[in-house]
Amino acid sequence: MTAHAVEAPAAPPEWDGRLVVRAAGRPLLHVAGEGITAPAGPMFTVPLECQPDAEQAPGVLPWDGPVTESSICPSCLRSLRGEPEPKKPRLVPAGAVEELPVPAPDPDLRGRHLQAVPDPVMYTEVALPAEHGDRPITWSRWTTAPVITHHDPSCEWCGGLGPGEMAGGRQGNPMSRTDPLRRYIAYRCTACQETTAYEQVGGDLKTIAHHKSRAPKDCNR
């Protein structure tokens, strides 16, 4: 005999056949109370699964877009499924004294061989170029570089996790014709100190200085 696997039909979502609305000014979707029909415009005092009191319910807008479980208010879903609300964290009154958890005792190291861990190697911070094109550059302080989405902030040389640091520089005067304003930007790895300085030329970056790190390749991976 041959057994055939019969796939059971998927259960309809809890909000199937119910009016789904969007809270005004917020992306979260809500499930309206039973019997509510969709009006043409914004709605007020509409009972929701998470807020059955119509006087306390937020203003909502009709929604005819896609609906997924992740886009619906978690409280509405819990109400539809008959699940209890999660317990709220207990508030401790100001000035109340609570016993702190007792820390675990230190492990017994008797009879074990201890191995000294060397201090991490520190690399000297390099100086940024003081001038370019025989004209001085004024640099800002180093600040943490912003993390760009879909861009790996780790150092290409040593593998440090990053993000590194950046500094901005300027040269000249925006009101002068003989000494026009030029802008510069520098990036460095805080682990191995590899540093590159660029001049901003339109929308491009032109390298004006590069200090190669003295750290071994991939030492921080």
Side-chain angles (χ1 to χ4, degrees):
M1 296 180 63
T2 304
H4 294 278
V6 179
E7 206 173 289
E14 291 83 353
W15 61 87
D16 191 36
R18 301 286 292 275
L19 174 63
V20 176
V21 294
R22 181 171 67 86
R26 299 182 179 180
L28 205 61
L29 303 181
H30 293 271
V31 181
E34 282 193 272
I36 303 297
T37 58
M43 300 182 289
F44 296 90
T45 65
V46 172
L48 306 174
E49 280 294 332
C50 63
Q51 185 56 264
D53 184 356
E55 296 298 328
Q56 301 294 326
V60 294
L61 303 171
W63 178 257
D64 56 1
V67 180
T68 61
E69 183 172 328
S70 60
S71 62
I72 289 187
C73 162
S75 295
C76 284
L77 288 179
R78 283 192 292 267
S79 176
L80 289 170
R81 296 168 180 170
E83 299 174 353
E85 289 289 326
K87 292 184 179 180
K88 295 182 179 180
R90 183 172 61 91
L91 298 179
V92 179
V97 178
E98 285 197 339
E99 291 188 7
L100 298 176
V102 179
D106 294 332
D108 186 4
L109 302 179
R110 290 176 297 181
R112 299 187 184 183
H113 296 285
L114 301 181
Q115 183 178 0
V117 178
D119 293 332
V121 180
M122 302 299 293
Y123 296 94
T124 305
E125 176 184 330
V126 297
L128 292 171
E131 61 178 29
H132 181 64
D134 296 329
R135 295 164 58 202
I137 302 177
T138 302
W139 292 97
S140 67
R141 293 183 178 182
W142 289 105
T143 58
T144 302
V147 178
I148 303 175
T149 307
H150 305 305
H151 174 74
D152 185 4
S154 61
C155 177
E156 295 182 357
W157 175 256
C158 75
L161 296 180
E165 292 185 327
M166 63 181 295
R170 58 182 297 165
Q171 181 187 75
N173 189 327
M175 306 300 294
S176 173
R177 294 185 178 181
T178 58
D179 189 17
L181 177 66
R182 298 178 186 269
R183 296 190 180 274
Y184 301 86
I185 190 168
Y187 295 92
R188 75 171 179 180
C189 171
T190 54
C192 71
Q193 298 300 325
E194 183 173 26
T195 304
T196 307
Y198 307 90
E199 179 184 1
Q200 292 183 316
V201 182
D204 298 327
L205 295 177
K206 177 183 176 183
T207 302
I208 63 170
H210 176 70
H211 298 277
K212 194 67 177 178
S213 172
R214 298 174 58 190
K217 178 70 173 175
D218 296 334
C219 61
N220 288 314
R221 291 191 186 278

